[in-house]
Amino acid sequence: VGGLAAGAFTAALGAISSNIRGTVKEIAAMGDEAKRSGLGLKAFQEWSFVAQQNRVSLDALVDGFKELSLRADEWIVTGGGAAAEAFQRLGFSAVDLKERLKDPSALMLEIIGRLQGLDQAARIRITDELFGGTGGEQFVQLIDQGEAGLRRTIDRAHELGRVMDEAAIAKASELDQKWNELADRVETFAKRAALALADLPFAVVED
């Protein structure tokens, strides 16, 4: 009975440890995804909650913001590009857009607000031109909420404690690195032990 209890405790402890490590890794990855999207950590968490509430995938969210920044910058620098006509139709000038691009989250909210006044065909075409294929297809789902509705969802994310501070995310990244180092050490030790055990029968025969 004691052996069974000890085994159950060990298994439970292992499961808890695995869950903690998974959570730490997930939080640490947030910083990487935020960088890919061009958003700050706070804004990325806010929009991740918006995406979750509206059945928008994380990949579509990241790609959408990334493409928005790339296409806006292309128009600002070259005066053309795939999204030039779409930005003009929404009433943005290149000079105006350059300033607004400093805050991609606020720019996205404004774009959604302006898209709300267009018909469905125009919405689909413009979101595709601004956010690319993956982001454009799913960002259409956000338009009916409008700017005000999305701001309420962002506020709700804060109310529910879904937005962590940068220090907590940095700590998670540090812990994830330590977990990885520990896992590497355990794996190396296991390999050495396996080699030693594999050699044992031969050593006995030789003796």
Side-chain angles (χ1 to χ4, degrees):
V1 174
L4 289 174
F9 175 77
T10 301
L13 187 62
I16 292 170
S17 177
S18 178
N19 289 336
I20 291 173
R21 185 182 181 187
T23 301
V24 167
K25 184 174 289 292
E26 183 180 338
I27 295 171
M30 231 187 288
D32 300 329
E33 296 291 353
K35 289 175 184 176
R36 282 208 307 126
S37 69
L39 291 168
L41 284 171
K42 176 185 172 185
F44 179 77
Q45 292 177 84
E46 292 171 344
W47 281 96
S48 293
F49 183 75
V50 168
Q52 184 185 63
Q53 296 300 303
N54 291 276
R55 300 168 301 285
V56 174
S57 71
L58 185 61
D59 284 342
L61 176 71
V62 171
D63 287 346
F65 270 98
K66 182 182 71 175
E67 289 297 328
L68 173 62
S69 293
L70 289 173
R71 296 176 188 213
D73 184 68
E74 181 182 29
W75 184 42
I76 292 166
V77 173
T78 69
E85 183 183 344
F87 282 123
Q88 289 172 331
R89 183 166 181 182
L90 291 177
F92 293 104
S93 68
V95 175
D96 182 44
L97 193 61
K98 183 177 181 179
E99 185 63 29
R100 293 176 186 274
L101 198 56
K102 294 176 182 178
D103 187 348
S105 178
L107 175 60
M108 179 66 76
L109 286 169
E110 189 162 0
I111 287 172
I112 295 296
R114 297 188 187 192
L115 282 168
Q116 199 173 22
L118 303 178
D119 60 42
Q120 189 65 12
R123 291 178 178 184
I124 293 172
R125 182 172 66 82
I126 291 176
T127 52
D128 182 73
E129 291 174 358
L130 295 183
F131 312 124
T134 304
E137 289 172 4
Q138 297 188 37
F139 275 34
V140 174
Q141 297 160 205
L142 304 176
I143 298 173
D144 284 337
Q145 282 198 48
E147 184 177 349
L150 292 175
R151 288 188 184 277
R152 285 194 295 271
T153 304
I154 288 172
D155 289 341
R156 184 61 176 160
H158 286 274
E159 291 171 6
L160 295 174
R162 294 293 298 272
V163 180
M164 303 174 66
D165 61 38
E166 293 189 17
I169 296 173
K171 181 64 176 179
S173 181
E174 178 187 341
L175 289 173
D176 185 51
Q177 290 177 358
K178 289 182 178 179
W179 272 109
N180 291 335
E181 289 174 2
L182 178 60
D184 287 341
R185 290 179 183 177
V186 170
E187 183 179 358
T188 300
F189 175 80
K191 287 177 180 177
R192 288 175 179 171
L195 288 172
L197 290 172
D199 192 47
L200 184 60
F202 300 104
V204 171
V205 171
E206 289 171 358
D207 290 341

